[in-house]
Amino acid sequence: MKTTATAYVAMNPRRCTACWECVGKCPKKVIGKTGILCHRHVAFKEADACIGCGKCIKTCPQGVFFKPGEAVADRRVSAGMAFRMERLLPLAFVASAVTGVGLHLAGHGASHEVWHNWSVAHVVASFLWLLSVALHVKRHKDWYKALISKSAFNGRRVTFALSVCFLAVAVTGILLVACVEGANSSLGLWHYKLGIFLLALSLLHALRRR
Ligand code: HEM
Ligand code: HEM
Ligand code: SF4
Ligand code: SF4
């Protein structure tokens, strides 16, 4: 049975970033994984087995676990606009991808108006994705700090490649809207190819979270 409290510890799963550090640390295998895609978080799967050793409280970098009765007012996730905006991530991702491919196909078509409509849709969708990824990255800033300070890439390759590729796609996209007129420029084709690669990496990044 999944619960958010044992006799000794409680949790706020909304703070969980699914790093799974705590899962292996619990000596009684009380903590399990639940949810799908970007809604992954921990749950107490064997609450009755908890011995109150407190390892989960010490391990979690996000402060998910706390002693029952402890004040939880400051433990709420960064609620409000920023939180909701990051939730847009998968939706804006699909919208940016679909409109990006649509825009590319429209570039091969005869109608400039159709191309223009795809272009507007793509810029709006991509801007939303850009914004939600910026918030997602901000929440994971410690991951980047750890990457720089430890220079440890093991197990981090996909997310690292994704970050570099995202930057390249965002920069070429912004250059396209600022400096390039019309379809099928060489910068546009680079942006498109990188965009397809980015989609593959994003899918890998999201699906690897089991
Ligand atoms: C479809 C798009 C994406 C989805 C669905 C997605 C989903 C997730 C999920 C579920 C996590 C772990 C738990 C959480 O933070 O909620 C995560 C972690 C992370 N994401 Fe993403 N993400 C996406 C795109 C990106 C992009 C484009 C970047 C970088 C530019 C990025 C950078 C990170 C980092 C640095 C972490 C923490 C380290 C890690 O666990 O790999 N994500 N992402
Ligand atoms: C961070 C995400 C992205 C941003 C910020 C972005 C932004 C942009 C911008 C601003 C343009 C210029 C539109 C215009 O000139 O009217 C553009 C064009 C384009 N984008 Fe993206 N985009 C992103 C992701 C993608 C992805 C994932 C794909 C493909 C799957 C893609 C495919 C294209 C194509 C084909 C064009 C037209 C290029 C041309 O022929 O000029 N984009 N993008
Ligand atoms: S250590 Fe904290 S953030 Fe990581 S999975 Fe466990 S509860 Fe979630
Ligand atoms: S207090 Fe100890 S036994 Fe209980 S869930 Fe946390 S780590 Fe597991």
Side-chain angles (χ1 to χ4, degrees), residues 12-118:
N12 178 354
R14 286 187 71 193
R15 281 196 80 114
C16 176
T17 58
C19 70
W20 309 137
E21 294 268 329
C22 58
V23 177
K25 286 274 160 58
C26 172
K28 294 289 172 192
K29 302 205 176 353
V30 172
I31 308 166
K33 305 172 185 178
T34 188
I36 53 159
L37 288 180
C38 57
H39 186 68
R40 301 285 283 148
H41 57 82
V42 287
F44 290 125
K45 294 257 165 115
E46 301 290 340
D48 292 345
C50 176
I51 51 169
C53 68
K55 283 197 176 145
C56 50
I57 301 179
K58 283 198 205 96
T59 306
C60 176
Q62 306 296 332
V64 166
F65 303 98
F66 54 96
K67 297 209 173 92
E70 198 178 88
V72 291
D74 61 334
R75 293 184 176 276
R76 288 196 53 200
V77 200
S78 45
M81 270 302 276
F83 181 69
R84 280 196 289 276
M85 194 68 219
E86 195 194 336
R87 288 255 146 150
L88 260 185
L89 192 74
L91 201 69
F93 160 75
V94 173
S96 172
V98 169
T99 53
V101 174
L103 181 54
H104 180 71
L105 297 177
H108 293 297
S111 166
H112 181 73
E113 206 187 330
V114 171
W115 183 85
H116 185 260
N117 291 343
W118 276 111

Side-chain angles (χ1 to χ4, degrees), residues 92-175:
F93 160 75
V94 173
S96 172
V98 169
T99 53
V101 174
L103 181 54
H104 180 71
L105 297 177
H108 293 297
S111 166
H112 181 73
E113 206 187 330
V114 171
W115 183 85
H116 185 260
N117 291 343
W118 276 111
S119 170
V120 171
H122 180 61
V123 172
V124 171
S126 299
F127 178 72
L128 285 178
W129 194 34
L130 200 68
L131 214 64
S132 50
V133 171
L135 292 165
H136 183 61
V137 167
K138 186 171 169 249
R139 191 160 58 80
H140 286 296
K141 60 180 183 311
D142 290 346
W143 184 88
Y144 290 97
K145 279 188 199 152
L147 187 77
I148 295 164
S149 62
K150 292 186 195 145
S151 297
F153 285 81
N154 265 356
R156 296 185 154 116
R157 287 195 188 94
V158 171
T159 307
F160 177 71
L162 175 70
S163 306
V164 174
C165 189
F166 183 83
L167 202 66
V169 172
V171 169
T172 48
I174 289 164
L175 283 175

